[in-house]
Amino acid sequence: MTTVPEVRARKGSAPLVMVTAYDSPGARAADEAGVDLLLVGDSVAMTVLGYPDTLHVTVEDMVHHTAAVARAKPAALIVADLPWLSYHTSRRDAVSNAGRLVRAGARAVKLEGGRKRVAVVEALVDAEIPVMGHLGLTPQSFHAMGGFKVQGKGLDAARQVIDDAKALDAAGCFAVVLEGIPTEVARLVTDNIEIPTIGIGAGPSCDGQVLVWHDVLGFGGGDYAVAPKFVRRYADLRSAAIEGIAAYAADVRSRAFPSDSESYHLRPDVAEALL
Ligand code: KIV
């Protein structure tokens, strides 16, 4: 079973692989594929629950999906997202909400933000809850950022990301996600902190990469159809699903399904007496 210290020790060595997971079959598939970390991301809001952004997800939702992932008993390290407003109100709320995720099966939690989260990170670490940071394009700041936009592009903004990363490292985070920032900034962060960086839309210099399950496997559609440019799609599960369900519908309508071998039968003597 992958542990937090093992992930922390991977700094500068073999790249860490993280993918999101929201349910047992998804977690089992990713775990059997050999990923290092499973992130029960608040992206579940958009990928699974049909919301337009991550702000709608509650602690209850995250507990529900974390428990489903944990029931798959993956070897990968389960990290669960603290949702919006679950750690912004007080350190006490943060510890209590993170504790609920740990009791649901998470072995670490992730939260968004840099220097302004230091007190919360310290409180969580003090409560023996490992914390992963998340900097750059932080989706919970969607309104404050004015949309999903690449961050850290100007000189000041780039320096802010680097300072935030150093602060999270010093506060005790064991890793940090860098999302939607220029490659050069991600490289500087990676070279200037002691903990692994895990990139998404942050170029190839990070200590690992993370992608969203539905993006990797092509299982979007509806409002969640357009993948950002940093997504590389490795399968087209949506087309396979539509094809499969359409074939099932056609077989039902033509009475080709179910066949005799897919049906249960009475013993001949019971059938004769009954009929
Ligand atoms: O919720 C999520 O899926 C995430 C990743 C994009 C890092 O936070």
Side-chain angles (χ1 to χ4, degrees):
M1 212 180 252
T2 307
T3 65
V4 166
E6 281 166 4
V7 169
R8 168 80 182 69
R10 287 272 288 276
K11 175 76 187 172
S13 64
L16 290 159
V17 182
M18 181 159 85
V19 70
T20 64
Y22 315 105
D23 56 24
S24 289
R28 264 193 295 273
D31 198 49
E32 282 177 36
V35 303
D36 301 300
L37 302 105
L38 291 174
L39 172 66
V40 189
D42 58 358
S43 53
V44 68
M46 296 147 91
T47 54
V48 174
L49 302 178
Y51 292 121
D53 53 55
T54 60
L55 305 182
H56 293 76
V57 162
T58 63
V59 174
E60 282 66 34
D61 293 328
M62 295 306 299
V63 165
H64 177 79
H65 287 278
T66 301
V69 167
R71 282 192 285 269
K73 296 186 175 54
L77 184 79
I78 302 175
V79 182
D81 262 339
L82 277 165
W84 181 58
L85 289 190
S86 69
Y87 56 96
H88 305 71
T89 45
S90 70
R91 279 173 284 179
R92 190 188 175 84
D93 286 351
V95 172
S96 139
N97 288 322
R100 293 186 62 192
L101 296 176
V102 171
R103 289 205 168 121
R107 284 182 261 146
V109 297
K110 176 165 80 59
L111 54 73
E112 299 183 3
R115 279 161 291 178
K116 61 184 168 187
R117 301 288 172 239
V118 161
V120 166
V121 172
E122 285 173 348
L124 292 168
V125 171
D126 194 48
E128 314 300 344
I129 301 173
V131 186
M132 179 179 280
H134 186 160
L135 294 173
L137 195 175
T138 45
Q140 291 174 10
S141 320
F142 173 72
H143 293 306
M145 291 182 311
F148 294 112
K149 293 180 177 160
V150 175
Q151 302 294 303
K153 283 165 88 174
L155 186 56
D156 276 355
R159 284 187 177 140
Q160 304 266 353
V161 176
I162 296 164
D163 289 347
D164 280 338
K166 286 181 178 169
L168 291 179
D169 183 359
C173 283
F174 72 96
V176 61
V177 166
L178 301 179
E179 177 167 358
I181 59 171
T183 300
E184 297 79 2
V185 179
R187 186 181 308 127
L188 267 173
V189 170
T190 303
D191 290 347
N192 281 282
I193 60 174
E194 302 295 320
I195 55 174
T197 58
I198 303 182
I200 173 164
S205 307
C206 297
D207 297 300
Q209 296 290 329
V210 53
L211 280 177
V212 167
W213 199 95
H214 292 64
D215 289 340
V216 179
L217 297 177
F219 202 44
D223 288 344
Y224 193 70
V226 186
K229 85 166 191 176
F230 58 75
V231 168
R232 189 179 295 176
R233 190 154 276 172
Y234 288 88
D236 185 3
L237 292 196
R238 184 167 189 270
S239 299
I242 293 171
E243 223 173 274
I245 300 291
Y248 160 63
D251 281 356
V252 170
R253 290 183 181 125
S254 67
R255 299 195 179 280
F257 176 83
S259 67
D260 193 54
S261 66
E262 288 158 331
S263 309
Y264 297 104
H265 290 284
L266 286 171
R267 273 198 341 255
D269 57 321
V270 179
E272 196 181 339
L274 187 69
L275 302 173

